[in-house]
Amino acid sequence: MPEEVEVGPLSELSPGTVVGAGHYAVGNADEIFAVSRRCRHLYADLAGGTVDEEGCLVCPWHGAKYNTKTGRMVRGPQGIFAKIPGLGTAFKALTLVLPLRRGKVVERDGILFVE
Ligand code: FES
């Protein structure tokens, strides 16, 4: 049986919210998602990230964006990193092979768990 980690009450995970639960960042992007917490760029904790208007998870450090359904980076690191030729493309390609791991979120009696 897979190990489960309690996330918390579903009612507290309002749209746009992201929280940490064990090794996962769990959020509400219209659908509840769970992805591994460490950004593929410099390992920022994605549980401190945000959900943008497109439903992507945005890294709190340099703004890389992830598709929460596939775990793939859809926009590379921003700021000074965006000026490095090919860097964003390289990280996006990396996540084609090594996307963020997706967890399965289940709800029981109003409480979310990720496995
Ligand atoms: S650590 Fe996430 S974009 Fe840099």
Side-chain angles (χ1 to χ4, degrees):
M1 185 170 167
E3 183 181 330
E4 272 187 353
V5 176
E6 184 173 329
V7 178
L10 173 61
S11 61
E12 292 181 8
L13 200 65
S14 56
T17 304
V18 185
V19 298
H23 296 294
Y24 289 98
V26 181
N28 185 341
D30 291 332
E31 291 180 12
I32 306 298
F33 67 86
V35 294
S36 48
R37 280 175 86 147
R38 295 295 162 194
C39 181
R40 291 288 191 243
H41 178 221
L42 292 177
Y43 308 109
D45 185 353
L46 294 171
T50 55
V51 175
D52 73 2
E53 64 284 346
E54 296 171 326
C56 291
L57 174 59
V58 181
C59 176
W61 284 6
H62 313 114
K65 287 174 41 168
Y66 291 90
N67 179 315
T68 58
K69 293 182 175 69
T70 64
R72 292 179 179 161
M73 190 183 284
V74 296
R75 180 181 73 183
Q78 299 298 290
I80 191 168
F81 296 104
K83 297 178 179 157
I84 301 171
L87 185 74
T89 302
F91 274 101
K92 286 192 276 184
L94 171 70
T95 62
L96 288 174
V97 182
L98 288 173
L100 298 178
R101 190 175 66 251
R102 273 93 61 222
K104 180 179 175 189
V105 180
V106 295
E107 185 251 323
R108 286 193 301 274
D109 299 327
I111 306 296
L112 296 173
F113 298 86
V114 62
E115 58 185 44

